[in-house]
Amino acid sequence: MVDNYPLKDDTSETKNQHFISQVEQRQNSLNPSAEIRNQRIYQFAILERDQRQIQLTAQGGVSISKSLSMEDLFSFDVKDKKVRANFEKIFESYERRISNLTTEVLQHAPGITQHREIFDLFIAKIINYIRNPFCIEKVINTFGSLAEYHPTDAKIYNRYQKILEGNRPQKHYICSKLGITNVQYEKWLRIIFMSLNIPMPGYNNMIEHLVNTLFEIQKNFIQIDVYNYTKERCLLSDRGWTTPIKQERNWLVFHFNLNAHAFIQYAFFECDASLPPEIQQGLSQCPKQIPVYHHTDDLAALELFNRRVVEQSFEHVYCSGLSAHGVTVANQT
């Protein structure tokens, strides 16, 4: 749990706001040993989704400090050229943990676990989904009811009013670029606020509460698969996540890039949909346990992962190298 109660300071001078954190991009950098300000990543445009064909957009890659970002994307009250109210500080509170969490997950011994890093990493990745501008319509469809509520704490409500009444000179540009309406944009900002707001000290925010329920509900079976590769590379989606299968009511699977050579799969299965009653009862009486499996150089899994990244990204995919297993890179024209 990130302690962000109350949201004492939502102001920031940051205008160039990343929706896929620089931390995660650096884990896929083409020059990871370079100084942070000089690190770059290869960007590929999606040419043919069904054929999994992509094309490099710049020979030397793109600057991580400027990629996967938009100006004032999360700013809900711009006071002047420097001061703006936004979500940068709360996002950073999750971002600064991603590198260590990724290392812990990759080094975690296979077997049954109740370790916190598995849960905390999933939280950070799901927040990436909520903050991603290419997922706005899906986020509204999934969490739209949150926009109908408001904080009851007077101090927090004063900040929430900035979303309702704040100055957003960038809104027309943002909406035009993303193909959304101003109503959708404002609703998305309200959802982000309500999902990350902690109602009182010691409580989880709404996203942490929902994920905690997903992990701890007894009738859910959870399996974690970590895939590592010696040489082959994993793509990074501009949406931050993919799913290998069609999501069903009783079956949810998520894929997330971990770094240039690893990705993770979270699978949640509602056991009572298929198991006999006696097994269901046995599961409900057992402590919650989560099996974690590690796989090395599983090329079939990597091909599926990379292909799904191309199929499900919005317009670009990213990589630390010039090629990716299972994907065709078109020649430059």
Side-chain angles (χ1 to χ4, degrees):
M1 182 180 72
V2 173
D3 184 10
N4 61 343
Y5 177 90
L7 297 174
K8 296 179 180 178
D9 184 9
D10 54 20
T11 59
S12 169
E13 293 186 4
T14 303
K15 185 175 183 180
N16 182 41
Q17 299 167 7
H18 287 76
F19 50 90
I20 300 291
S21 72
Q22 294 185 68
V23 174
E24 290 164 281
Q25 292 188 61
R26 291 187 197 114
Q27 293 180 149
N28 292 271
S29 172
L30 65 91
N31 56 341
S33 60
E35 292 185 19
I36 287 178
R37 67 175 182 271
N38 296 325
Q39 288 183 350
R40 304 178 72 80
I41 189 170
Y42 287 119
Q43 175 183 267
F44 298 86
I46 299 171
L47 296 184
E48 296 287 345
R49 294 183 191 276
D50 293 342
Q51 301 301 317
R52 292 91 180 185
Q53 188 178 60
I54 59 178
Q55 186 172 57
L56 187 67
T57 62
Q59 288 294 332
V62 295
S63 171
I64 287 175
S65 64
K66 298 179 181 179
S67 62
L68 293 165
S69 65
M70 293 179 66
E71 290 191 356
D72 278 324
L73 176 63
F74 305 111
S75 295
F76 46 88
D77 189 21
V78 179
K79 296 294 185 183
D80 53 44
K81 291 183 178 181
K82 285 190 175 181
V83 180
R84 61 220 342 110
N86 55 41
F87 300 110
E88 285 295 289
K89 290 181 179 178
I90 182 60
F91 289 156
E92 288 171 4
S93 67
Y94 288 95
E95 291 170 8
R96 61 174 171 256
R97 305 184 62 206
I98 287 178
S99 181
N100 288 338
L101 286 171
T102 299
T103 299
E104 291 172 5
V105 167
L106 288 171
Q107 293 178 348
H108 189 283
I112 302 299
T113 184
Q114 292 178 312
H115 285 247
R116 186 76 189 185
E117 65 268 19
I118 294 291
F119 175 85
D120 286 347
L121 182 63
F122 188 77
I123 289 283
K125 297 294 187 178
I126 288 297
I127 288 175
N128 277 349
Y129 155 62
I130 293 171
R131 69 191 274 193
N132 194 291
F134 304 138
C135 298
I136 287 178
E137 291 189 8
K138 189 171 181 63
V139 169
I140 290 175
N141 289 337
T142 305
F143 300 105
S145 60
L146 287 178
E148 308 305 318
Y149 296 90
H150 61 79
T152 56
D153 182 288
K155 292 181 179 179
I156 298 178
Y157 185 77
N158 286 338
R159 297 182 181 91
Y160 182 71
Q161 280 188 302
K162 296 178 184 178
I163 293 182
L164 302 179
E165 305 169 359
N167 178 44
R168 289 188 286 276
Q170 80 283 5
K171 64 183 178 182
H172 297 299
Y173 169 76
I174 295 289
C175 291
S176 175
K177 185 175 179 63
L178 297 175
I180 60 174
T181 65
N182 184 50
V183 171
Q184 288 176 308
Y185 183 41
E186 181 186 295
K187 191 169 187 177
W188 178 56
L189 293 175
R190 297 205 309 270
I191 290 170
I192 294 175
F193 188 102
M194 293 303 298
S195 64
L196 298 180
N197 167 57
I198 291 179
M200 60 187 69
Y203 279 68
N204 291 331
N205 61 39
M206 183 58 68
I207 291 303
E208 290 176 347
H209 173 73
L210 291 174
V211 172
N212 190 64
T213 300
L214 184 62
F215 269 78
E216 294 194 353
I217 189 168
Q218 285 300 130
K219 65 181 180 180
N220 277 359
F221 174 76
I222 305 171
Q223 179 175 311
I224 311 298
D225 290 272
V226 180
Y227 295 85
N228 289 276
Y229 297 90
T230 306
K231 295 181 179 179
E232 299 292 345
R233 302 174 191 274
C234 304
L235 293 176
L236 175 67
S237 170
D238 61 6
R239 280 195 165 110
W241 69 287
T242 55
T243 178
I245 62 174
K246 181 181 179 181
Q247 305 288 48
E248 300 291 348
R249 182 184 63 83
N250 61 328
W251 200 198
L252 294 174
V253 184
F254 302 91
H255 277 171
F256 302 107
N257 173 289
L258 289 177
N259 62 31
H261 301 284
F263 73 91
I264 189 169
Q265 173 178 285
Y266 287 81
F268 302 87
F269 180 62
E270 187 178 342
C271 297
D272 64 353
S274 61
L275 296 180
E278 60 272 17
I279 296 181
Q280 297 174 35
Q281 183 178 4
L283 286 172
S284 66
Q285 296 172 350
C286 294
K288 192 69 176 182
Q289 296 180 321
I290 301 174
V292 179
Y293 300 99
H294 286 252
H295 312 266
T296 301
D297 292 333
D298 184 334
L299 295 182
L302 180 60
E303 180 173 351
L304 176 62
F305 174 80
N306 282 338
R307 288 189 170 193
R308 291 295 183 264
V309 170
V310 173
E311 291 169 357
Q312 297 174 19
S313 294
F314 181 71
E315 59 183 356
H316 293 111
V317 299
Y318 297 79
C319 192
S320 63
L322 292 170
S323 63
H325 183 71
V327 174
T328 300
V329 179
N331 293 328
Q332 291 287 92
T333 56

